[in-house]
Amino acid sequence: RFLAIWEQIATRYQDRPAALAFELLNEPHDNLTAAKWNAILAEALQVVRGTNPTRTIVIGPVAWNGISELKSLVLPEADRNLVVTVHFYSPFPFTHQGATWVDEKSRSPVGTQWTGTPEECKAITDDLDTAIIWAVRHRRPIYLGEFGAFEKADLASRARWTKFVADEATKRRM
């Protein structure tokens, strides 16, 4: 079904300008393990490349496009029209506090602040550096496709966190 959908999309948009990019699947997770995802994305790439041989395709790793799972992402070496996306919501207890869609056991109470301590900053830069090291090793561009903090966090903390993440991503040309 997934492949049939992509065959339809690829055919429909094959003559669109090169600025149009495809993203095969946003945030693969849960039962879609790295092994399953790598297998199906290889097939999906073949389907799309049948009608869109040079179109940019955005692909992210499993675990909600988590940086920690870049290590498990397998891409065809010869296909250089791929952009790897990651999403960043760390530290999760800060960024997702009060989020009703997070199961109650994992949900942090409202009131968690992000003050920008050296330790807090280092945790973020370490994660972003992990992505960049992977990108350089694999010669792939990295796209920070999502990042943010849920509105239940205090505005000052959200502003500090967002500015820091954006600035650090920009320094790394993400």
Side-chain angles (χ1 to χ4, degrees):
R1 184 174 182 193
F2 180 75
L3 298 176
I5 289 169
W6 269 108
E7 185 170 13
Q8 291 174 24
I9 293 169
T11 300
R12 169 108 161 93
Y13 293 100
Q14 67 185 341
D15 296 323
R16 297 297 169 108
L20 174 68
F22 295 152
E23 181 172 8
L24 294 179
L25 182 65
N26 183 50
E27 297 186 337
H29 60 279
D30 292 342
N31 292 332
L32 195 50
T33 64
K36 289 178 186 175
W37 176 228
N38 288 329
I40 200 164
L41 80 84
E43 290 182 61
L45 282 171
Q46 287 182 340
V47 167
V48 171
R49 290 297 181 227
T51 53
N52 292 262
T54 60
R55 180 150 329 268
T56 299
I57 299 176
V58 178
I59 299 173
V62 295
W64 309 91
N65 290 348
I67 289 172
S68 65
E69 285 303 317
L70 282 168
K71 66 184 180 291
S72 68
L73 185 62
V74 177
L75 301 174
E77 186 61 35
D79 192 338
R80 304 317 296 174
N81 294 316
L82 304 175
V83 173
V84 176
T85 186
V86 292
H87 295 175
F88 191 75
Y89 296 103
S90 184
F92 195 82
F94 166 70
T95 64
H96 281 67
Q97 61 186 291
T100 57
W101 65 89
V102 175
D103 69 86
E104 208 166 323
K105 291 185 309 187
S106 302
R107 190 179 318 147
S108 298
V110 174
T112 304
Q113 294 187 330
W114 195 85
T115 59
T117 66
E119 294 79 17
E120 289 174 325
C121 292
K122 184 176 182 333
I124 289 172
T125 58
D126 285 352
D127 284 343
L128 297 179
D129 286 345
T130 296
I132 292 304
I133 289 166
W134 183 93
V136 168
R137 183 176 306 130
H138 295 275
R139 297 176 308 132
R140 301 285 182 182
I142 290 279
Y143 171 58
L144 182 56
E146 290 183 20
F147 70 101
F150 187 55
E151 66 185 0
K152 298 288 184 178
D154 70 279
L155 182 58
S157 289
R158 283 186 287 142
R160 271 190 301 276
W161 182 89
T162 301
K163 182 177 181 347
F164 186 77
V165 172
D167 288 349
E168 292 299 315
T170 300
K171 284 180 192 174
R172 289 161 179 78
R173 300 177 69 176
M174 298 173 91

